[in-house]
Amino acid sequence: MELAVWVIILPLLTGFLLGISKLYFNKILFPLVMSSAIIYLYLLILVIQNSNPPKLYSIGNWGLLGINLMVDPFSSMFLLIIAILFISVIVFSMKYIKMNKHKYFIFTYLMIAGIAGMVLTADLFNLYVFLEVSSMSSYALSAFKKTDKGIEGTFKYLIMSTFGSFFILLATILTYYLTGTLNIAEVSLGFQDIPFMIKSMLMCLFVFGYVIKIGLVPMHAWLPDAYEDSPIPYNVFSSGLVMKSAIYALIRVLYIIFGIEFLSESGILNIFVYWGVITFIISHFLAFQQSNLIRLLAYSSIAQIGYIIVGLFVGSEKGLIGGSFHILNHAIMKGALFLVVGIFYYSLKSVKIEDIKEMGYKYPIISFIFVINALAIVGLPPFNGFMSKWLIVEAALESGFVYPAFFILVGTFLSLTYYLKVIIKLYTKTEEKIITKVPLALKIPTIFVGSLCIVFGIVPSLPLSLINNIPKFLLDNSEYVRILLGG
Amino acid sequence: MIDIILYILIIFLALTAFFMVFTKDMLSSIIALPIFGSILVVIFVILQAPSAALAEAVITAGLTTGFFVITINKTEMQND
Amino acid sequence: MIRINEMFKKLYKISLVVLLAIFLLYVFNEIHDLASKSYLSEHYISKGVQETGAINLVTSVLYDYRSFDTLGEATVILTASAILAFLVPLRKVAMHGTKFLIIVHQTMIFIVPYLAVLGSYLILFGHLNPGGGFVGGVVLALIPIVMTITYCIEFSEYKFKPNIKTLLEDLGSICFIILGLFGIVTGSNFLASGQSNLGLGNPGELISGGLILCLNIIIGIKVGAGMAKIFNSLIKGE
Amino acid sequence: MEILYFIVIFLFCLGIYTIISQKNLIKIVIGFTIVESSLILLLILVGYKPGGTAPILDKVYQIVVDPISQALALTSIVIGGSVTAVMLMLVIKIQKRYGTLNIDKIRKLHG
């Protein structure tokens, strides 16, 4: 399908054009960025619409010899997240970023191109290259403010991320040695006649590499530091997309190459479910002690990643639907929360929890959106967070994971405590404070993303129509493999 | 004949890597880096990979050593 | 007491690494017995020259069969040089350059044309002998680097202005994508040089291999400008 | 040829050990370079066929070495080079701000 390539090339082209416009005609920053964002939104909607039977596009017309792009319902859900978050963050950061805007937009566009490339490609080494492209520009964005803590956090992020990339590269080389090819479909066919022990070893290498990038519990220390002193619009992307694209790559590799039977047979599903449970229990406790809003939201992101891992690795159709729906919801809710925190930072120049007193009365709408999204992320009934968490709990119960389902409910109350702590601070009265006026261009995207959380809560059939046919091409990989082999 | 040369090179490779990691003085471990790179280049040529040997020689043994020397120059100035 | 704790921590790390080594030894031992299938590379070897027109199969894989990797690759270099140029502080910091004798300046004058010839040879003959865009580009980048080392950085910045380097990089990447779109315009898919009905010429000569030659030149210029910018930013980097 | 596989494992684990145990920032970046080089050596080794010739087909050869693994090796070398350059820039910046290259001291100053 012709448009799949444009989804990757358009942000790349815009990034390079911005590089030139920085030197010679830097007045055209605003029109260039806005026009390409709108065209990109239209392009994404077109690609998402006709992605139900997965479409194939071979780069260079080489068929199985070269690299293929595959638009699959699971990847089109990620394109939906990109579509929702991208346009609002571009509008938000137009006013929010004051110094060297050109560089900021170059890195943002290259990161989106990297993530779109990772999500669409159906080739193992190409997945690694685009993983490097998206993490390279997220290092740049996380060190954007050049403060001491920011650079130190970025260095820690760089070390841990490259450490993970080494194991992914090692596993890719060994799979290439075993199956002689890099195309995901041919690799999964070649893996069928490989002895059980070697397959589980390779799976451990892949899992170890990707888990460092996702940031599950023992390897999560770098994540809050990487978030702390980076520009807040970037935090919307990194918690909504960069971590999720690592989860996407893990699911793509495990479910398609190794297949669901091998996963349940080797017991990795149970390991991941309990790993997710440990992750969100520990990160809820850690989030409770934070005094800095951004670190609190970062730890809460790790917790939500734990829920997603539990949902996706329960191994049933309902679990996959619940997990993917939670990926979408978490991206929207966490995006809205970070945008609201961005507005508070813009007006107060600080993100400490004690400093955001009285903001409830100064910005009633924005704080109302913060409260709604906080309750939604905790998982209270009328909002979308509840829908996806309920699906995950149901799937866990159906597949016999009683303790994880119970711990999810415990986790819900744990996260309720520290979000309530913030909400109470929001509406306490204090003496008069000087706050700078917040322009309208910052409020509109926040309201748009925040209200989506209610819309998807009340009318979940909207996104679920797309998410319901994810398991068809993921649970049994024969369908996906048939199409990728040109069937 | 080639195998004997290969075994000698491998021993040198391991020795250089060991030396590079466990020497106290920073500058001598930086000097060991291009030696490590050039031994790798010879091994790549023996393994019939000329393009990778050229790239390894120019980028890892050449440019990356230059980057390391600049870092040493900028950071050692303050310490001593 | 602290010494024992220190020893314990060191032993813990050594045991972790030894465990990893045993795990990898086991994996390699098991993998080595299995016959490695290589039907894809057999196809590249047998039909590579006719399909892409390039003698050097590595370049034909890099710039034609899997040229999407090279596009991602070029973006990584562009991002790296953009990060380093971005992290450079605004105020001028002189590098502690050493005063070189006249001999060094003379040899530098001899070296520069040699590097230029070698670099352009590696780029232009990329699809005939080992070399290619990346290697030739870095050799070309050695010219501003040698100037920065022997003379001060202002001289090298005067000769090769930073704006020109950034312009070369961005123009190079845009031309790479435009050449890719050339594949779509001529009817076949993106980045198609062998498959697009472009005359491949007979394999031995210089002008052969469809778009591979132009892609090589573009990547060479782009990598050269990128590496020179990285080197200068590291020197100016506070 | 088996000994080269042992060398790859030895270098990989030596690099990982350097990253984990060394205190000096520059030594950690050297550890990354070692792991990078060992992965490239593994890539070349995976593609090697005993008695094969280089993948330049100016004449017809019987056994030719696998060109894909060399193309992947070339890409990994360039990616490793640019990641190392970014790491070293951050090391310079950290040294300027915290005045030391030792991780423990940085963690204390971090506060």
Side-chain angles (χ1 to χ4, degrees), chain C residues 111-125 139-140 143:
Chain C
I111 285 176
V112 167
Y114 168 74
L115 282 177
V117 168
L118 178 64
S120 39
Y121 166 76
L122 284 172
I123 292 174
L124 287 175
F125 284 77
V139 170
L140 278 184
I143 300 169

Side-chain angles (χ1 to χ4, degrees), chain A residues 80 321 325 328-329 384 387 391 454-469:
Chain A
L80 181 65
I321 294 174
F325 194 26
L328 182 67
N329 291 341
N384 58 0
M387 311 301 295
L391 282 173
I454 308 162
V455 164
F456 282 173
I458 295 160
V459 185
S461 67
L462 215 62
L464 275 182
S465 61
L466 171 71
I467 293 173
N468 276 340
N469 40 42

Side-chain angles (χ1 to χ4, degrees), chain A residues 57-58 60 65 123 126 180 201, chain C residues 23 37 44 66 69 189-190:
Chain A
Y57 183 84
S58 67
L65 293 174
D123 185 277
N126 206 14
M201 294 279 176
Chain C
F23 171 75
K37 300 195 279 289
Y44 281 167
R66 300 181 60 86
D69 277 354
N189 293 4
F190 183 68

Side-chain angles (χ1 to χ4, degrees), chain B residues 1-2 4 6 10-11 17 22 30 40-41 45 47-48 53 58-59 63 69:
Chain B
M1 184 52 188
I2 284 292
I4 301 162
L6 201 60
I10 287 163
I11 295 159
F22 292 113
I30 298 293
L40 263 178
V41 165
V45 169
L47 292 177
Q48 304 290 338
V58 172
I59 293 173
L63 265 180
V69 167

Side-chain angles (χ1 to χ4, degrees), chain A residues 125 128-129 132 136 139 143 146-149 151-156 158-160 162-163 165-167 169-170 173-174 176-177 180 182 225 228, chain D residues 5 12 16 19-20 25 28-29 32 35-36 39 42-43 46 66 68-69 72 75-76 79 82-83 86-87 90-91 93-94 97-98 106 110-111:
Chain A
F125 191 73
Y128 170 74
V129 170
E132 283 294 318
M136 187 68 103
Y139 305 145
K146 297 196 208 176
T147 61
D148 290 2
K149 242 201 262 300
I151 290 208
E152 219 259 334
T154 314
F155 186 72
K156 207 178 285 186
L158 179 59
I159 295 285
M160 289 304 281
T162 319
F163 198 81
S165 300
F166 284 146
F167 285 97
L169 185 59
L170 180 62
I173 296 168
L174 293 182
Y176 170 69
Y177 177 72
L182 284 164
D225 299 342
E228 205 167 339
Chain D
Y5 284 100
F12 189 86
I16 298 279
I19 295 167
I20 290 176
L25 281 179
I28 292 177
V29 183
F32 274 101
V35 175
E36 194 70 46
L39 283 178
L42 176 67
L43 250 172
V46 157
D66 169 17
I68 308 171
S69 60
L72 304 187
T75 315
S76 313
I79 287 184
S82 32
V83 168
V86 173
M87 266 188 219
L90 290 176
V91 162
K93 282 233 166 287
I94 285 174
R97 303 286 173 85
Y98 289 108
I106 292 172
H110 195 271

Side-chain angles (χ1 to χ4, degrees), chain C:
Chain C
M1 189 47 200
I2 298 118
R3 260 199 45 71
I4 300 157
N5 188 350
E6 206 53 46
M7 269 298 293
F8 185 70
K9 210 180 282 180
K10 204 181 237 304
L11 273 175
Y12 167 70
K13 285 176 181 144
I14 290 175
S15 63
L16 255 180
V17 170
V18 165
L19 217 67
L20 179 68
I22 293 162
F23 171 75
L24 284 178
L25 268 172
Y26 183 72
V27 169
F28 275 43
N29 198 357
E30 291 278 329
I31 278 177
H32 203 63
D33 311 339
L34 285 172
S36 81
K37 300 195 279 289
S38 61
Y39 56 91
L40 194 62
S41 61
E42 291 313 326
H43 180 277
Y44 281 167
I45 290 164
S46 54
K47 295 194 186 53
V49 181
Q50 304 122 13
E51 277 178 353
T52 57
I55 299 281
N56 181 357
L57 286 182
V58 177
T59 320
S60 82
V61 166
L62 264 178
Y63 291 101
D64 193 352
Y65 285 116
R66 300 181 60 86
S67 47
F68 210 50
D69 277 354
T70 319
L71 177 63
E73 181 53 46
T75 325
V76 167
I77 292 181
L78 185 125
T79 330
S81 68
I83 294 172
L84 292 182
F86 166 69
L87 284 177
V88 163
L90 296 176
R91 46 184 170 66
K92 278 191 45 50
V93 171
M95 175 173 175
H96 290 266
T98 58
K99 277 286 152 277
F100 286 105
L101 288 173
I102 195 68
I103 302 161
V104 176
H105 295 297
Q106 283 311 323
T107 45
M108 205 276 291
I109 291 165
F110 284 131
I111 285 176
V112 167
Y114 168 74
L115 282 177
V117 168
L118 178 64
S120 39
Y121 166 76
L122 284 172
I123 292 174
L124 287 175
F125 284 77
H127 58 295
L128 299 179
N129 334 65
F134 291 109
V135 180
V138 176
V139 170
L140 278 184
L142 286 184
I143 300 169
I145 288 171
V146 159
M147 276 189 199
T148 328
I149 294 172
T150 47
Y151 301 100
C152 56
I153 193 166
E154 286 72 21
F155 178 79
S156 138
E157 296 272 318
Y158 168 72
K159 280 279 186 228
F160 298 91
K161 297 211 172 10
N163 285 357
I164 303 290
K165 286 187 212 146
T166 320
L167 185 70
L168 273 180
E169 265 197 296
D170 290 318
L171 271 184
S173 340
I174 290 174
C175 292
F176 194 95
I177 292 179
I178 286 168
L179 275 176
L181 296 181
F182 177 75
I184 295 182
V185 162
T186 63
S188 80
N189 293 4
F190 183 68
L191 276 180
S193 93
Q195 286 293 328
S196 73
N197 31 46
L198 193 68
L200 290 183
N202 33 33
E205 286 156 11
L206 178 60
I207 312 294
S208 74
L211 289 180
I212 288 185
L213 185 62
C214 330
L215 292 178
N216 244 331
I217 296 168
I218 286 165
I219 288 282
I221 297 167
K222 194 177 130 26
V223 167
M227 284 300 178
K229 223 168 87 168
I230 287 176
F231 193 86
N232 282 346
S233 318
L234 264 172
I235 283 193
K236 288 191 285 189
E238 204 189 21

